Amino acid sequence: MHDPTRSGYSLTRVLPCASSPSCPNHVPDNIRVFYIEAAECLSRRAYNAAAPLFRKVLEITVKRMDPECPAGTNLKNRIDRLPAETGVTPSMKSWAHEIRLIGNEAVHEDEPVQEKDAKDIQAFTELFLTYAFTLPGMLEERRKATEGGGA
């Protein structure tokens, strides 16, 4: 067997470069872990695993956004009752319901999740996280910067 290290050659990089999934900024660590795992499943074309994980990301996010919601409330009702103070718009609730429905189908239906549905649930989840955590986090960073800098 040929040993490449003995021939004077060394591997410097592999193309194309593998990319690691990323998560929107300011997302809490526990939610980030599940989101990245779901995104990795999607990148491996494991759509049946990705869809329920994206739904889980939504469920944990909604619980965090409305901690006063009674335990045992189903996700549909949790989404519907999100208070306006959380900044959730009607469009965000629609995205959340799409995530919920695709995730439910992935778990309960006999047919495999299609690539388009898996990509849609990822896009909806990313947008939801961006509006729920990234934008408020950016505003907070801006406030801190202007308070310290005397803008």
Side-chain angles (χ1 to χ4, degrees):
M1 178 172 274
H2 178 69
D3 181 0
T5 57
R6 289 186 163 195
S7 65
Y9 295 102
S10 65
L11 185 63
T12 57
R13 65 183 174 157
V14 176
L15 295 175
C17 297
S19 62
S20 298
S22 62
C23 183
N25 292 330
H26 303 287
V27 172
D29 289 339
N30 63 324
I31 297 170
R32 175 182 305 281
V33 166
F34 292 119
Y35 179 86
I36 289 174
E37 187 174 332
E40 287 173 347
C41 288
L42 181 64
S43 72
R44 292 185 193 114
R45 302 175 58 106
Y47 307 133
N48 298 304
L53 274 173
F54 283 122
R55 185 194 180 284
K56 180 176 180 128
V57 168
L58 173 70
E59 182 133 18
I60 296 167
T61 300
V62 170
K63 284 180 181 177
R64 185 178 187 102
M65 294 175 83
D66 186 12
E68 302 301 316
C69 187
T73 304
N74 68 32
L75 182 55
K76 179 189 181 303
N77 292 335
R78 282 184 182 278
I79 294 166
D80 289 341
R81 69 164 265 142
L82 280 170
E85 300 83 53
T86 62
V88 175
T89 66
S91 291
M92 287 177 68
K93 286 184 181 184
S94 293
W95 294 335
H97 282 301
E98 286 299 316
I99 296 165
R100 179 183 63 80
L101 291 170
I102 295 169
N104 285 352
E105 288 174 6
V107 171
H108 299 291
E109 297 301 323
D110 294 340
E111 294 300 315
V113 175
Q114 298 300 306
E115 179 179 8
K116 181 187 182 325
D117 289 335
K119 287 182 176 180
D120 285 349
I121 196 173
Q122 183 275 330
F124 289 136
T125 304
E126 184 174 332
L127 286 169
F128 197 86
L129 293 176
T130 299
Y131 278 89
F133 299 115
T134 305
L135 295 176
M138 290 170 65
L139 285 170
E140 184 62 26
E141 284 178 350
R142 175 73 179 149
R143 281 189 194 113
K144 286 178 182 177
T146 56
E147 286 172 4

